[in-house]
Amino acid sequence: MTPRPLFQRSLLAIALGASLAGPALAAERELLNSSYDIARELFSAINPDFIAHWQTQEGEAVAIQQSHGGSSAQARAIMQGLRADVVTYNQVTDVQVLADDGLVADNWQEQLPNNASPYYSTTAFLVRQGNPKGIESWDDLSGEGVEIVFPNPKTSGNGRYTYLAAWGFADQHFDGDEEQIRDFMRTFLRNVTVFDTGGRGATTSFIERGLGDVLISFESEVNNIRGEYGADDFEVIVPPISILAEFPVAVVEPNVERNGTQDLAQAYVEYLYSEEAQRTLAGFNYRVHHAAVVEEFAHLFPETELLRVEEVFGGWDQAMATHFGSGGLLDQLQRR
């Protein structure tokens, strides 16, 4: 069967979201989840389960709507008036900016387990069948003639994780030698054939436009792509060293108060930790925390050393200022 192009998948996800809203026209309350761009299919699967769960527990019919895009853009939309009740993002800074603006509780990371990250991932490589360039780890990506596709770190949390994972590898490989790290990163960045603005755009470039030898994205995304487009056409490589990518969630306090959805929103983010939701998340190739589900899906997730942004870069605030701010290291490395 010919796989659907990604834009058709997006339309399908929108249609699924509309179908959720359809029977809920009689529902008195509706929840809006603001999420990152490659999570459309994930929440199209989770939302009906939560609706059924809430109906069983509370006897109330509710509706759930989704808003998707780059998580930084989604956060800005909320600050500009989007009345989202909950956020489910792929980078801590995009929730923290809402906390700094008074829209999310100051202690939001303490309100739920695992730093309010019900699931997590890492960066991985998608290569074409046979892995013709022999890509197994980050050092292979600096080779001559290797063409890389991943989203722009300036506009994408996905891209920032990729950049930091490559830097973290180089930091270990060169024992902290700053000059060698920078030389590696210059070559790595020169090998990028296209910088799309987000993860879904990068996937389109690699799959549908046929650009590049390797797509770097979240492990969950590259596995989902391989599952949709065919195990005979692509291979997934999880490098031995990568980075911990947390997927934080939070309730948007002023909005739920205004919308009258405080209990519903809190139940929604808590539901993501339930065994049922964790199993759905694992089925979409995300790493989870529920012990029974971890054991059940362990064969899908190769062991890898996961570097923490806090340990290698001093936290997200410092990483953003040092690497991704105007005139920061990313800009410097791309100028040479």
Side-chain angles (χ1 to χ4, degrees), residues 150-220:
F150 72 91
N152 192 337
K154 288 283 191 176
T155 57
S156 166
N158 189 333
R160 286 189 283 274
Y161 276 119
T162 292
Y163 170 97
L164 294 177
W167 185 287
F169 159 79
D171 182 54
Q172 276 200 11
H173 187 71
F174 298 113
D175 198 25
D177 186 301
E178 189 79 11
E179 185 175 347
Q180 292 189 80
I181 295 170
R182 292 189 184 208
D183 284 344
F184 169 83
M185 291 300 296
R186 288 188 192 97
T187 305
F188 171 74
L189 292 168
R190 278 200 301 269
N191 283 351
V192 177
T193 188
V194 60
F195 264 144
D196 289 289
T197 57
R200 188 49 55 88
T203 298
T204 298
S205 291
F206 185 73
I207 298 293
E208 296 181 14
R209 297 174 62 195
L211 299 178
D213 302 302
V214 54
L215 170 69
I216 312 176
S217 189
F218 292 122
E219 176 187 41
S220 52

Side-chain angles (χ1 to χ4, degrees), residues 274-285:
S274 70
E275 182 171 353
E276 180 179 44
Q278 294 270 290
R279 185 166 284 108
T280 300
L281 287 159
F284 276 81
N285 297 296

Side-chain angles (χ1 to χ4, degrees), residues 48-85:
D49 291 339
F50 173 77
I51 289 170
H53 167 79
W54 185 260
Q55 176 78 56
T56 300
Q57 294 293 315
E58 304 296 331
E60 180 187 12
V62 295
I64 301 174
Q65 297 290 346
Q66 290 292 136
S67 177
H68 290 283
S71 63
S72 296
Q74 288 287 291
R76 286 194 298 272
I78 292 174
M79 290 188 286
Q80 293 166 3
L82 178 69
R83 290 178 61 169
D85 301 276

Side-chain angles (χ1 to χ4, degrees), residues 280-299:
T280 300
L281 287 159
F284 276 81
N285 297 296
Y286 289 100
R287 300 184 182 226
V288 297
H289 301 287
H290 192 285
V293 181
V294 169
E295 182 177 358
E296 179 181 344
F297 287 86
H299 63 286

Side-chain angles (χ1 to χ4, degrees), residues 205-265:
S205 291
F206 185 73
I207 298 293
E208 296 181 14
R209 297 174 62 195
L211 299 178
D213 302 302
V214 54
L215 170 69
I216 312 176
S217 189
F218 292 122
E219 176 187 41
S220 52
E221 176 73 350
V222 296
N223 275 294
N224 290 336
I225 294 167
R226 184 172 184 260
E228 177 172 359
Y229 284 89
D232 292 338
D233 295 323
F234 302 99
E235 298 177 21
V236 172
I237 308 295
V238 178
I241 297 174
S242 197
I243 198 161
L244 173 65
E246 295 182 303
F247 288 72
V249 303
V251 172
V252 186
E253 302 288 351
N255 287 354
V256 297
E257 183 177 352
R258 181 169 53 177
N259 297 340
T261 54
Q262 174 68 56
D263 59 334
L264 184 61

Side-chain angles (χ1 to χ4, degrees), residues 130-149:
N131 193 6
K133 295 295 175 73
I135 296 167
E136 299 294 339
S137 187
W138 296 97
D139 53 348
D140 298 319
L141 300 179
S142 63
E144 185 176 351
V146 175
E147 296 185 350
I148 305 169
V149 176

